[in-house]
């Protein structure tokens, strides 16, 4: 048949599977979001509606991919953590990256009108309560997979993102206070903050603007953590239903099906809490649970 | 600073650049589209509105990435061909795949209401002319990059997709005629067609249903080709402005800027034509043009 | 300069670094060794001189690469385990694979005359004690890197190789007894053994040939384990001097130098012991030692 | 069986096949050769015996791998070019790299006594004509694969290596003349040559030492080219017997066998000629021959 003659071109599709037993993080990032923030007059330093839109999109992604054990978001980025034993899409790198990032993009675009509404007191708009119309270029997100071989390193990855959130937020909060309430030009504000430490910024906020950084909303300081909450009664024996490597092939299919349903029914929560300390993880042992004997 | 302690996790992000001097195809594919077709009562075997929606989304993608020299689409898939010398995103595989597929997804979702309108004579809907509301799961597309080292092989890839379009369309046209006008159950129709050759299907269509396959719309038989049309007066000396490998680094920046603008201004056309024969390419030499001395 | 014009070809050399924090196994395998065994009349089922030659070559490789923590060999293959935190050759896959396999090949060729000597009672040779001359094709070994993300999985890899050694050796011992002492043709022997379990083979060996498999030499049954033996007084605090990921960049260089010297001075031992059970590892905690807090 | 339990570790062996239709260069490089040159008192700037040893080893490698169409060597490196359509080892990167580099290493070590003989007039040795004994560390070579998508780029690669040979040789010839006949210290000679152009070095050689660089041996100036010489009567229709991509699977096996034998019988030559200009290639069209219609 005509098509077999050209079918050899398939041989150029090379395998890109991620090695087993690695936690897979798909991190998505807003493309050209500094411009988008300007175009839609996002509130500075944080636009709560936009963050809640990000979170709503993330919740849908987590809901849809039951092998995502946790997601962490801040600013225009979100990290989705797939369990180290996931076999989704045979762990193909591009398939995972594009499936997650297109779903996130679709959710972000479609949910936009639910969140991006003109708020009271927003002097830029005459009519409060009206949806802010989305225009081209539509918001999109690129994405990439990173494999982390150990739970400990995955947690360091998440610490890295949350520390980054804190650092940026403290800087931005100070910067925009200086600019808006200083008032000062952006360039001057930048110079002013150059080389300052965390405590210097805290001091500037408090002494000049009466702002207590610690009292700032947690969503700004900590970012957002999305996960399945099974409450107290976690009954799967502590491994979240994850079979080990060895069993992967055999696998009790009916048990896996039962587990999948349990995940689909679970309540998905969004919290703005510290994930750097151990407390969060100790209280929710199922999130990064691995099969007994594979604690690593 | 807190963050340097965890920054080592960046070392797990491995390079995935595609080797230079390869044509890069990003092929996107609808996720779960057989279900989506059912949910929204897509016309069988072809839903023209849906195909035109695909094409409209593709046009926007081509418009946005000036290094895409051609796109080819059929059914729920689209292939975007980046010039072999593109340096976009440093040719990073995941970045290319996710940027193209998220933009396509966003376009598809946002353009949906422009195309998916209830048509006259569509007995399934009471009210003609009303938009068919999109519901979750939103349409999304996975994507992957494939690198083709030679122009000839890239053309074989495109032949492969267009031959595939033809084969599927002939089968589907026959199948749905047998089912709808036979009438016959799907299973019986499948049995009936098993092992038939192209000429058998043509014969079935003609003798039983009076359908002349050759008279079917070109968009169904050939799929859709999207490219920049510079008309007759192609003034760049036949290489589409593509510098060779050697010049890539030095490169006359101003010339590249001029070239980019020219591409942005060019008219993007959608045609349903044969790209298997040489004629298409001979008449539009700029599409796969390479620098002189690099004809390969 | 002339050369800068062509220097762009370097861009085709793509990165192939192995992700950090993975144990790296370089496994080398004899190329065309079934023919080589025949050419040089290797004793069947095991040629002790040839195995000792393999071990001697492996010892030199371990001696030369201080980041190899253990090597395991059987038949014509050897696995060299690099510590998960090694930064040798920036963890480049091909560089590691070729450096280890060429050194092993050179050792094997150059050490050949020290081991491949005609033995007493070898009726095939007139003159006992003379070196068996090596001829083309010289013995060579291909090699490959595999990354194991967890200590547990690395140990499963080693179990896999040692179990393979046992299985093959039991089969070969039975097969060659049946062939040589049966006597029986190879084809008949193969048929005879088809489908037999371990206990069946043990029984055949004992009842027909008076061979007690358990009394066979350990080197045949267990293969060979090569590692640095620091004896009882392991003074580095149990992590073999391996800094963690975080410290990798800073790293106390002088401490690393000291550690390297310690390794270079250490006695390298070859043992034919069980590495499937925990005992071996518990008694030699330094072999797979990782930094405190990185037990995984 | 015991072994199936651990067999899952094979899943960590990831595919590393090189995309079809790319020319594959395996370049091997002496490890620690500056030290080796000192240890064995290699003549400076060029040791002809050592170069001939390299060439002899390369010839054996070319002889052994019939898919190598050409090899180019200079100093302690050699590049082996596999035809773009080779299917050897399924084009696996590590397998190709280690097979070539271990064979080269074995040849180098085993051929050493044939070449490294004390020469007349070599004042460093008392006894002329005696083999220079090889000692540990044995000479070894690392290796790497690079894929080149076009014939033109492959040729640029080879130009790059030959230009590099010329540049280094001119520098080294001048440097060592200045040092040995200046006489001058190495540091002073380095300073003297800093920033000089080719013509300056030619001038220094001629005016100070009466050395006409152009009269230097070709092997030093051009390096060494190894290939199969079929003489005038190349009867395979100009494609060296290389089937195209499409035929690869079907392939007339008997024709391929015939072709392989033809290659094995062909005379392998070593020449010190210009491969930068087109002449070399035009006169030996079979070397980079591709199937008709695949000129690229």
């Amino acid at each position: 048949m005509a098509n077999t003659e050209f079918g050899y071109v398939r041989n150029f599709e090379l395998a890109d599977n991620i090695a087993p037993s690695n936690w897979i993080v798909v991190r998505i990032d807003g493309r050209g979001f500094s411009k988008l923030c300007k175009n839609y007059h996002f509130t500075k330093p944080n636009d709560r509606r936009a963050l809640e839109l990000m979170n709503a999109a993330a919740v849908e992604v987590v809901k849809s991919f039951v092998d995502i054990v946790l997601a962490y978001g801040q600013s225009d980025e979100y990290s989705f953590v797939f369990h180290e034993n996931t076999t989704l899409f045979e762990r193909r790198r591009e398939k995972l990256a594009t499936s997650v990032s297109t779903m996130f993009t679709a959710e972000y675009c479609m949910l936009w009108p639910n969140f991006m509404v003109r708020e009271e007191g927003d002097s830029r708009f005459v009519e409060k309560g009206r949806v802010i119309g989305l225009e081209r270029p539509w918001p999109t997100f690129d994405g990439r997979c990173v494999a982390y071989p150990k739970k400990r390193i995955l947690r360091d990855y998440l610490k890295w993102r949350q520390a980054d959130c804190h650092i940026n937020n403290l800087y931005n909060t100070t910067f925009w206070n200086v600019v808006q309430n200083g008032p000062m030009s952006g360039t001057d504000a930048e110079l002013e903050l150059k080389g300052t430490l965390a405590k210097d910024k805290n001091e500037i906020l408090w002494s000049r603007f009466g702002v207590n950084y610690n009292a700032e909303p947690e969503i700004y300081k900590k970012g957002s953590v999305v996960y399945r909450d099974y409450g107290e009664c976690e009954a799967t024996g502590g491994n979240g239903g994850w079979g080990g490597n060895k069993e992967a092939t055999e696998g009790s299919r009916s048990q896996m099906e039962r587990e999948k349903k349990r995940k689909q029914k679970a309540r998905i929560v969004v919290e703005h809490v510290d994930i750097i300390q151990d407390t969060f993880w100790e209280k929710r042992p199922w999130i990064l649970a691995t099969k007994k004997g594979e604690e690593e």
Side-chain angles (χ1 to χ4, degrees), chain A:
Chain A
M1 192 48 221
N3 223 7
T4 57
E5 185 186 349
F6 311 126
Y8 81 92
V9 298
R10 295 215 64 171
N11 300 331
F12 292 82
E13 302 181 5
L14 303 178
D16 70 340
N17 313 269
I18 293 172
S21 208
N22 280 271
W23 300 88
I24 301 173
V25 173
V26 180
R27 183 172 70 238
I28 59 98
D29 248 287
R31 290 188 60 217
F33 261 51
S34 53
K35 196 157 187 200
L36 182 133
C37 291
K38 270 195 206 114
N39 289 349
Y40 297 102
H41 306 286
F42 278 22
T43 307
K44 285 295 181 184
N46 292 291
D47 190 299
R48 182 180 278 267
R49 302 160 309 175
L51 290 175
E52 280 170 359
L53 170 51
M54 291 289 289
N55 292 345
V59 164
E60 294 300 328
V61 171
V62 172
K63 198 179 284 175
S64 167
F65 295 100
V66 294
D67 288 3
I68 295 178
V69 296
L70 181 123
Y72 174 76
Q74 56 135 320
S75 182
D76 64 341
E77 73 166 51
Y78 239 100
S79 298
F80 297 92
V81 181
F82 284 85
H83 193 277
E84 62 168 5
N85 285 346
T86 187
T87 55
L88 185 66
F89 305 139
E90 295 161 297
R91 305 174 70 88
R92 283 193 284 134
R93 182 178 290 277
E94 285 179 305
K95 183 92 174 169
L96 286 163
T98 56
S99 297
V100 167
S101 53
T102 55
M103 180 172 288
F104 193 91
T105 296
E107 290 291 346
Y108 192 94
C109 289
M110 301 306 278
L111 287 170
W112 174 278
N114 300 8
F115 290 87
M116 298 310 288
V117 173
R118 288 160 191 177
E119 292 172 339
E120 188 149 22
D122 187 339
S123 61
R124 292 162 304 186
F125 300 106
V126 181
E127 240 180 308
K128 153 194 141 185
R130 265 199 39 200
V131 167
I132 302 166
L134 203 46
E135 282 168 13
R136 234 183 234 114
W138 316 120
T140 56
F141 297 82
D142 59 37
R144 67 179 306 167
C145 293
V146 189
Y148 290 107
K150 312 271 201 300
K151 198 182 289 188
R152 169 180 55 79
I153 300 175
L154 168 69
R155 282 199 46 200
D156 279 353
Y157 170 80
L158 293 167
K159 290 176 190 178
W160 178 51
R161 298 325 303 142
Q162 192 166 58
D164 187 75
C165 173
H166 163 69
I167 292 165
N168 290 337
N169 188 55
L170 177 55
Y171 181 90
N172 291 337
T173 305
T174 316
F175 177 86
W176 285 104
N177 262 288
V178 170
V179 165
Q180 289 164 353
N181 307 324
M184 205 180 261
S185 78
T187 323
D188 287 350
E190 222 171 286
L191 269 169
E192 172 106 15
L193 295 186
K194 205 170 176 182
T196 55
L197 303 178
K199 67 173 167 44
D200 303 327
K201 298 195 194 74
N202 274 302
E203 179 59 22
I204 290 172
L205 281 173
W206 178 247
S207 62
R208 291 209 218 154
F209 310 107
V211 171
N212 175 6
Y213 182 74
N214 288 329
E216 287 288 294
E218 293 298 305
I219 187 174
Y220 300 160
K221 291 183 304 182
K222 299 278 200 302
S224 301
V225 187
V226 181
Y227 63 94
R228 288 185 176 75
D229 190 13
Y230 299 105
E232 299 301 308
C233 48
E234 165 57 19
T236 61
N239 75 357
W242 283 102
N245 309 92
K246 296 170 194 166
E247 292 74 24
T249 41
E250 11 187 313
S252 151
R253 210 150 290 278
S254 70
Q255 199 198 321
M256 279 170 68
E257 270 309 307
R258 224 179 312 127
E259 186 53 35
K260 192 177 168 182
K261 278 199 185 115
R262 202 177 68 90
K263 283 173 190 160
Q264 285 167 338
K265 282 193 309 192
R267 196 167 57 98
I268 292 173
V269 296
V270 182
E271 293 178 349
H272 317 295
V273 293
D274 182 286
I275 55 173
I276 295 180
Q277 304 302 317
D278 293 341
T279 323
F280 174 84
W281 306 99
E282 284 164 0
K283 283 201 177 154
R284 298 158 188 85
W286 64 87
I287 293 181
L288 300 185
T290 40
K291 199 181 151 65
K292 204 169 290 182
E294 296 191 2
E295 290 76 25
E296 304 203 23

